[in-house]
Amino acid sequence: MKVIFIRDVKGQGKKDEIKEVSDGYANNYLIKNKYAVKYTKTSLDVLEHQKTISKIEEENKITEATKIKEKLEKERIIIKVKAGKNDKIFGTISTKQIIDILKEKKYNVDKKNINIATPINCLGNHKIDIIIYKKVIASLTITLIKDSDKHDR
């Protein structure tokens, strides 16, 4: 019997895959547990329609992510830090600090999507990558400047 998988089944088939399986396996396991539907003209039409909708939704998400990327890459992130000798700062700038700054600027970024290649621990410009959506990655420059505030708080 030919079936269309509607969910991934380990070792058997992936979602949206059309495959020939034994009648008993199809009826007693795959269809019964809603892992697959029987292959018919109607079910094939439904599958094609769902694929089209998914493709359009994916393109819309990529377009939206690209707009966010372009807007984010124009942002200037400047952080005032206390620095010692050789412009070395005390500690490093963390992803949490970056997320807090981005939230102030109305960007919602997950901590897991920030990639800091080298520790941000000295004055100057530092590049970080932010994954907006799948393969849409924004490159952001963070500038650390010396805090000229001399009095204690």
Side-chain angles (χ1 to χ4, degrees), residues 47-101:
L47 173 67
E48 293 304 320
H49 180 68
Q50 287 174 341
K51 280 184 178 179
T52 304
I53 290 171
S54 294
K55 186 177 178 187
I56 291 169
E57 288 174 350
E58 183 74 11
E59 287 171 358
N60 289 341
K61 287 178 182 176
I62 289 172
T63 302
E64 191 63 33
T66 305
K67 287 178 186 174
I68 293 169
K69 172 190 174 195
E70 290 168 359
K71 190 175 165 193
L72 187 61
E73 286 181 338
K74 291 176 184 170
E75 289 287 348
R76 292 191 65 207
I77 307 288
I78 299 172
I79 303 174
K80 289 184 177 181
V81 293
K82 293 191 189 315
K85 292 181 181 174
N86 300 328
D87 292 336
K88 194 101 165 120
I89 70 168
F90 303 111
T92 59
I93 301 299
S94 68
T95 54
K96 176 156 181 16
Q97 288 172 290
I98 294 168
I99 287 172
D100 291 342
I101 292 167

Side-chain angles (χ1 to χ4, degrees), residues 5 7-15 17 19 25 29-30 35:
F5 285 88
R7 287 167 71 210
D8 289 353
V9 179
K10 192 173 182 177
Q12 293 301 315
K14 299 241 182 251
K15 184 180 188 295
E17 186 177 359
K19 201 167 183 185
Y25 182 63
Y29 181 71
L30 294 176
Y35 291 124

Side-chain angles (χ1 to χ4, degrees), residues 71-146:
K71 190 175 165 193
L72 187 61
E73 286 181 338
K74 291 176 184 170
E75 289 287 348
R76 292 191 65 207
I77 307 288
I78 299 172
I79 303 174
K80 289 184 177 181
V81 293
K82 293 191 189 315
K85 292 181 181 174
N86 300 328
D87 292 336
K88 194 101 165 120
I89 70 168
F90 303 111
T92 59
I93 301 299
S94 68
T95 54
K96 176 156 181 16
Q97 288 172 290
I98 294 168
I99 287 172
D100 291 342
I101 292 167
L102 291 174
K103 277 185 182 171
E104 287 174 18
K105 295 182 178 271
K106 307 287 188 245
Y107 292 101
N108 188 18
V109 177
D110 190 349
K111 179 175 144 178
K112 296 178 290 208
N113 294 342
I114 295 180
N115 181 19
I116 301 174
T118 56
I120 303 174
N121 58 6
C122 61
L123 298 180
N125 293 327
H126 302 274
K127 288 270 190 203
I128 63 166
D129 290 330
I130 300 174
I131 301 167
I132 309 295
Y133 181 78
K134 291 185 181 177
K135 293 181 180 171
V136 180
I137 300 171
S139 183
L140 186 66
T141 301
I142 295 180
T143 305
L144 300 186
I145 60 173
K146 199 171 200 172

